[in-house]
Amino acid sequence: LSHELRTPLNAILGWATLLKRVPVGGADHTRGHDTIERNARVQSQIIGDLLDMSRIISGKVQLDVQPIDLQEVISAAVDAVRPSAEAKNLRLRVMLDAKAGRMRGDPNRLQQVFWNLLTNAVKFTASGGRIDVVLERVNSHVEVSVEDSGIGIRPEFLAFVFDRFRQADASTTRRYGGLGLGLSIVKHLVELHGGSARVKSAGEGQGSTFIVALPISVMRD
């Protein structure tokens, strides 16, 4: 945890100091600005995840339940990650079933769920890969799947994917960063909506699919 918090902070402090000595408008100035912005966003996400997990553990997460159009919620999450996907030359395909209909839920928290899944897919998929987002109605519930062609998940680790502070191994943490909290937050927020989250993967190097199932009936506050 201390390593993950200090890494972006060190980059921010280091470049903030260097920028005092480089000419404004030069290549180093632009690089420093971009590095500070990128690491500030990383730091903000880490802090946000820690605060969310603290609320979850203490039972203080509250939902603002209202009628929502899940297609709009998913589209907003997709739009938020599209620049990152395009930067890695990832093929992002979205298929939303118009028959899914409206439902009840917290639009901000559900957007957070899909943003987390999509961000993970972008992070763990190599340049030139693909990400498919599918919304479909299945009987009395809807399912949203986020499938990628990324690094995949070993069979023995599938049961632990949604656990707090869990990543496949130390090398994953070093290469991709993160605290291993995002998927745990996803699972909890989905369950607060009366739904479930699960994952499928054929193994390392064969991509993964995260599936969120949400009931169409009135949900628990």
Side-chain angles (χ1 to χ4, degrees), residues 55-113:
R55 295 186 191 101
I56 288 170
I57 292 172
S58 60
K60 294 182 179 178
V61 176
Q62 295 182 339
L63 300 181
D64 179 16
V65 177
Q66 56 188 275
I68 62 171
D69 185 334
L70 198 58
Q71 294 184 70
E72 294 179 0
V73 174
I74 296 170
S75 294
V78 169
D79 289 342
V81 302
R82 193 179 296 278
S84 298
E86 291 177 348
K88 293 184 69 174
N89 193 31
L90 300 178
R91 187 158 45 107
L92 182 56
R93 300 186 300 184
V94 183
M95 292 155 280
L96 305 179
D97 184 357
K99 298 179 182 178
R102 294 177 64 82
M103 57 183 296
R104 289 181 59 81
D106 184 327
N108 293 323
R109 287 302 191 178
L110 287 175
Q111 185 175 331
Q112 180 183 1
V113 164

Side-chain angles (χ1 to χ4, degrees), residues 61-167:
V61 176
Q62 295 182 339
L63 300 181
D64 179 16
V65 177
Q66 56 188 275
I68 62 171
D69 185 334
L70 198 58
Q71 294 184 70
E72 294 179 0
V73 174
I74 296 170
S75 294
V78 169
D79 289 342
V81 302
R82 193 179 296 278
S84 298
E86 291 177 348
K88 293 184 69 174
N89 193 31
L90 300 178
R91 187 158 45 107
L92 182 56
R93 300 186 300 184
V94 183
M95 292 155 280
L96 305 179
D97 184 357
K99 298 179 182 178
R102 294 177 64 82
M103 57 183 296
R104 289 181 59 81
D106 184 327
N108 293 323
R109 287 302 191 178
L110 287 175
Q111 185 175 331
Q112 180 183 1
V113 164
F114 302 128
W115 181 88
N116 261 318
L117 294 178
L118 285 163
T119 299
N120 263 13
V122 171
K123 180 192 296 186
F124 294 116
T125 303
S127 177
R130 64 165 179 82
I131 299 172
D132 293 337
V133 183
V134 178
L135 164 66
E136 58 183 340
R137 181 162 181 167
V138 182
N139 299 322
S140 62
H141 70 279
V142 294
E143 288 191 353
V144 182
S145 63
V146 177
E147 179 181 357
D148 64 63
S149 60
I151 64 173
I153 303 168
R154 297 197 308 269
E156 64 269 24
F157 188 69
L158 282 172
F160 306 105
V161 164
F162 293 102
D163 288 359
R164 292 195 298 267
F165 297 108
R166 290 296 292 269
Q167 292 194 353

